[in-house]
Amino acid sequence: MYGDADERELALGETQQIDLESSPSSPKSADDEPLELAPTSKVGRYLLLRKIGRGGMGVVYAAYHEELDRKVALKLVHADVGGSTGGQARIHREAQALAKLSHPNVVQIYEVGEHRGQVFLAMEFVDGAPLSTWQAAPERSLSALFEAYCQAAEGLRAAHEAGLVHRDFKPENVLVGNDGRIRVLDFGLARSDRHGALTSESAHARRIDDLALTAPGAMAGTPAYMSPEQFQGAAVDLRSDVFSFAVALWEAVFGARPFAGETLGELIASVTEGPRPQPPARTNVPDRLVEALQRALRRDPEARLQSLDPLIQALSIDPATDPSGARAARRHFLAIFGAMTLLGPVAGVFFLRGHLGDIERMSYFGAIVGLATVLGIGVAFRRTLLANVYHRRMLLFLAVISLVGGSQRMIATYEGLPLQSIVIHSMHVVAAASLVAAIFFARWMVVLALIAATAIVAALLFPALFPLGVMFFGPAIMVAFAYFWSRDANRR
């Protein structure tokens, strides 16, 4: 069961609602209060156990179905929510449509009925916590967030396919069950397809944190997650849900909402007129998800993602294995890597000028530079590239080449082998490591093996070209490595 605090917060989707035109402390009249029933009362076939929440739509109770021996959450919808007889009929129809929807990521509605002129919904009772509470835990990994939001998107998509629009998607309207399953709840049964535009100066001056949902009859929704068309009072469809979902997901993975604004007026201006949201410079979020989020957050519904499918596709790929992850870190590394590839031979010639024939000095210089590079990469990119399985494999490949190749050159030098033999052995190490890598995780590594094999043949047939020949084949291998790694990371 929920703890008392969780029950008050969850209320199975209900949030305390505030009229934008009133102050947070404005009292409500008795006529505005939803009808509440005492425990042990019965609504239809359900025995009420206790009240677990109240909001603008009505009151939510823990209830019990005696015949089926099943505990449920029973929502008694306020009679004034629909506004008119037609509105109540619409609520009933939409509730019936939602009851027909059976999906593991949507809170199941068991029954829709009426009690003393009020619509009631008997729903699945879920042990768990709101997604907003769950994702705030410091131990939540990016992979866990992807899995949770992917499930939420699956549930929301199922509702869209059934012709339903949520109209108020936010982390508080998603439950994380103790069984680990995600369930979306509180679909927009009490909201119309149009929303009144916000024009009041007093409403615009209110802080976002003071605004949850509006009272019945006012603009419905949660401002922090609302789409531009909701702010503008236009008709909404599933693309409004796509926008709201993208806002919530952006907040989860980047730690801040995409649109700034302390007050409602500032938020509206940011959503409807502000610049395109940009992710933080240092992030491990894969490029493919960033691009999908930016498309989902476009102001014009026609230019926006037309469904949740691209977001679901991006979320279905574990960020720990996604080559498009750690974009900024990858670019920084490739810039450093490119500079070392191009400038390394020049630096070697400079520091060893007059000693290019000194095999011992050349071998030790190369080994020391390789070891320093491996250690520097490990320290500088331990929380970015090394946290991604794909990029970690690339870096480990470089480490193997540097450490094994460097130690091999030092041993060969110590044994007094000629330079030609040292080059051949070094390229043999590169070729062997590249073939192993091509077999297990990156087929394009065979290109590196072919370049190394070409270097071996050249060393045997044209010994006079070395050691200067190494200045061509070594960088060629590194350039090919950087190109194919970058290509994999940018592939969509």
Side-chain angles (χ1 to χ4, degrees), residues 333 336-341 344 365-381 386 395 398-403 409 478:
F333 173 80
I336 297 171
F337 185 74
M340 292 184 64
T341 298
F365 177 81
I368 292 172
V369 170
L371 179 60
T373 300
V374 170
L375 292 176
I377 289 172
V379 173
F381 297 96
L386 290 178
L395 295 180
L398 289 181
V400 168
I401 294 297
S402 298
L403 295 177
R409 286 193 300 271
M478 296 297 100

Side-chain angles (χ1 to χ4, degrees), residues 12 45-46 61 63-65 68-75 92 94-104 106-113 120-127 179 181 183 189:
L12 286 146
R45 296 174 291 180
Y46 301 93
Y61 298 90
Y64 178 68
H65 191 300
L68 297 180
D69 189 25
R70 177 165 62 188
K71 188 174 184 178
V72 301
L74 191 140
K75 178 179 292 185
H92 203 284
E94 292 192 13
Q96 287 178 323
L98 187 57
K100 295 178 182 178
L101 175 62
S102 179
H103 190 276
V106 176
V107 167
Q108 181 68 53
I109 292 184
Y110 299 127
E111 183 179 354
V112 182
F120 73 83
L121 313 175
M123 303 179 295
E124 176 184 8
F125 190 93
V126 181
D127 287 327
D179 58 359
R181 183 150 53 96
R183 299 168 177 86
L189 301 177

Side-chain angles (χ1 to χ4, degrees), residues 2-17 33-37 49-63 73-77 123 125:
Y2 306 120
D4 292 340
D6 283 336
E7 288 181 343
R8 286 193 298 270
E9 182 178 358
L10 283 175
L12 286 146
E14 287 293 342
T15 308
Q16 290 297 323
Q17 302 188 344
E33 294 294 333
L35 173 64
E36 295 189 20
L37 302 177
L49 302 177
R50 67 184 184 281
K51 185 178 75 174
I52 59 175
R54 184 182 66 181
M57 277 186 67
V59 185
V60 182
Y61 298 90
L74 191 140
K75 178 179 292 185
L76 190 63
V77 180
M123 303 179 295
F125 190 93

Side-chain angles (χ1 to χ4, degrees), residues 288 322-325 330 390-391 394 441-445 481-492:
R288 72 183 79 249
D322 192 339
S324 72
R330 187 181 70 248
Y390 181 85
H391 299 319
M394 297 296 107
F441 64 86
R443 287 180 293 180
W444 54 261
M445 289 280 189
F481 175 79
Y483 167 76
F484 284 107
W485 183 12
S486 182
R487 188 196 65 171
D488 267 9
N490 293 325
R491 182 178 295 166
R492 299 291 177 264

